[in-house]
Amino acid sequence: MAELPQYTIRESARAKHVILKISVHDGLVVVVPQGFDVQRVPKIIDEKREWIERKAKRIEQKRNALDKELAPRKILLLAINEEWMVAYEQNHSSRIAIDIPGKRRLTLSGNTADHALIRMALRSFLLAKARMDLPELLLSLADEHGFFVSKVSVRFQKTRWGTCSTRDAISLNAKLLL
């Protein structure tokens, strides 16, 4: 038997059969029913090796696509018709700094190998840009359509594009820029 891929075993009270799952975040997970003899897992994995290799290849493709998405070379802000070019400069800093060296250009410098830091920096840029541009856009639409807005706030919302209170305060999702 050739070397087996890395895997974790999870026991489930609801499982009736052995289930193999592969995901970007968890890798290969073998879900077994309670009381299952885990000594049998390596043989099951060996029998399903072709399926695991096919799925692992797809997962690797997804991971590569995700890495490119987390370190984009350009950001399109369709709501305001802007395209921003993004450059990355790796240096000794453990953080990420954003610089705007020219018109519609961003430079992220620091630990650019850390995709979580890149994501936080780009979210910060998007929120700042949204807070600059979305209120003005909303107020011009309010004037055009004849409604009153007492207050505008912009933040990241998980499930809504925006909300309006009974006091005419409107909260917009920063992702509206995209």
Side-chain angles (χ1 to χ4, degrees), residues 62-123:
K62 283 184 183 179
R63 184 174 283 128
N64 290 340
L66 187 60
D67 285 348
K68 287 176 186 165
E69 189 177 296
L70 292 175
R73 294 290 173 190
K74 107 172 95 165
I75 300 171
L76 298 173
L77 304 178
L78 297 175
I80 56 174
N81 198 29
E82 289 185 7
E83 180 177 302
W84 287 74
M85 301 308 294
V86 183
Y88 300 90
E89 293 178 358
Q90 178 74 31
N91 66 30
H92 63 279
S93 176
S94 61
R95 299 180 353 192
I96 296 254
I98 295 181
D99 185 32
I100 303 175
K103 188 175 181 181
R104 297 186 184 168
R105 297 187 59 78
L106 291 177
T107 301
L108 278 66
S109 58
N111 185 5
T112 56
D114 187 332
H115 291 295
L117 289 177
I118 289 173
R119 185 173 185 265
M120 287 189 321
L122 291 175
R123 280 178 60 94

Side-chain angles (χ1 to χ4, degrees), residues 3 23 26 34-35 55 57 71 73 77 89 95 111 117 124 136 140 145 148-149 171 175 177:
E3 188 175 327
S23 71
D26 301 327
Q34 281 183 330
K55 291 294 182 182
K57 191 174 186 179
R73 294 290 173 190
L77 304 178
E89 293 178 358
R95 299 180 353 192
N111 185 5
L117 289 177
S124 173
E136 184 180 317
S140 70
H145 295 283
F148 175 73
V149 176
S171 177
K175 295 176 192 172
L177 278 183

Side-chain angles (χ1 to χ4, degrees), residues 146-175:
F147 61 89
F148 175 73
V149 176
S150 66
K151 180 182 171 187
V152 180
S153 63
V154 179
R155 57 194 172 95
F156 284 106
Q157 297 170 322
K158 290 186 179 181
T159 59
R160 304 206 183 266
W161 290 113
T163 58
C164 181
S165 76
T166 55
R167 295 183 179 158
D168 299 321
I170 294 182
S171 177
L172 298 174
N173 191 332
K175 295 176 192 172

